[in-house]
Amino acid sequence: DKGNHRHFMQKEIFEQPTVVAQTLGRLLDPNTGSVRLPDLPFDLGSVKRITIVACGTSFYAGMVAKYWIEKFARVGVDVDIASEFRYRDPVYETGGLALFISQSGETADTLAALRHAKAGGQHIAAVVNVPQSTMAREADVVLPTYAGPEIGVASTKAFTCQLAVLASFAVALGRAKGHVSEAEEAKMVADLERIPSQMAKILHHQEDLVDIARKLAKARDILFVGRGIHYPIAMEGALKLKEISYIHAEGYAAGELKHGPIALIDENVPVIGLAPSDGLFDKSLSNLQEIMARKGRLILVSDHLTAFTENEMHGSFAMPSASDLTSPFLYALPVQLLAYHTAVEKGTDVDQPRNLAKAVTVE
Ligand code: M6R
């Protein structure tokens, strides 16, 4: 049932404050200000390296997790797409931790990678949304997301629920490793608990994205750029857009543009810049200026829109200020909504895009 929504995807985008709160609610204890993970069959404090494997949107959640885990827990993380990982002859550390992320828990490549890592003697953790799935059964420990059934082929609420689990995991690991103090943990838990209401506020402004989507619908190529933890969100935005609107889109690390992709830029190419005013803001700005100098059409998504004048930009969307822990959840929303409204504008089959299946159970 789509309720008042036109598509399942839209319904699922709007369910995010609720399902992220549900997922966080299983992991965070507001009274003690601490994270409570399910019982683990290994000692968290002794984890030395983590291998994360997934496909598509779940892979981008894994990339976000890499930034969090390395920053908060100082544990090295390798992230790979499952179809590459399993055929690459990966090197396993004895007793290492391998983490698999999958909405369906049935993706053939991710499942094969899980079995490969298991045979390689790794501890297997799985972040899955379907509790009775094959991956949930075969993992040593399941870190469930509580997104509820996701019908739209384009993953939205499963992604932010994966982020909820992975952020909580990163904080718990940081604590177990002694890099996050009790007070810091309490502050992070409080920050995480504010996310659902912040998400709701952003969703409330979806109309502001409809005009931008009308412009995007006319484009042939679109770039999404971001730095640091927003780089995977840029890639997620590009995947979502191409998946349902069939417009060619790429996500790039803003600093990498000058190494090739900037050659694509002209007055016909919209560039969606994800640029929160964090420690990388000045760097992002100079990358965005390079784009504008080549007549690229900047659409700025930021909490600091005054960095450019209205005339300089092709469009903009105002964000609240956020930390590295909370901003991936928030910046995921405008990129989902841009993809959604662009697809609606183009008249594509949003929930059942061509050539795609909800769960890819073949290699
Ligand atoms: O069920 P999974 O999370 O394992 O699925 C992985 C990908 O197939 C999936 O995220 C796909 O990329 C989505 N259609 C993206 O919106």
Side-chain angles (χ1 to χ4, degrees), residues 109-185:
D109 284 314
T110 310
L111 179 59
L114 183 155
R115 288 174 177 160
H116 191 283
K118 206 172 192 182
Q122 303 299 285
H123 295 297
I124 308 294
V127 177
V128 293
N129 192 46
V130 179
Q132 40 324 359
S133 62
T134 313
M135 280 182 229
R137 280 201 309 274
E138 296 195 12
D140 301 326
V141 60
V142 180
L143 302 169
T145 50
Y146 295 91
E150 191 181 61
I151 311 291
V153 164
S155 184
T156 54
K157 62 175 181 168
F159 177 67
T160 44
C161 286
Q162 288 165 347
L163 294 183
V165 169
L166 295 164
S168 305
F169 177 81
V171 174
L173 184 63
R175 190 87 180 92
K177 285 276 171 192
H179 292 291
V180 170
S181 69
E182 202 177 324
E184 285 164 338
E185 182 183 23

Side-chain angles (χ1 to χ4, degrees), residues 2 5 11 44 54 60 62 68 130 143 190 201 229 234 269 357 360:
K2 293 178 213 148
H5 296 283
K11 172 175 177 257
L44 203 52
Y60 297 135
W68 281 329
V130 179
L143 302 169
K201 279 197 196 125
I229 205 156
V269 181
V360 184

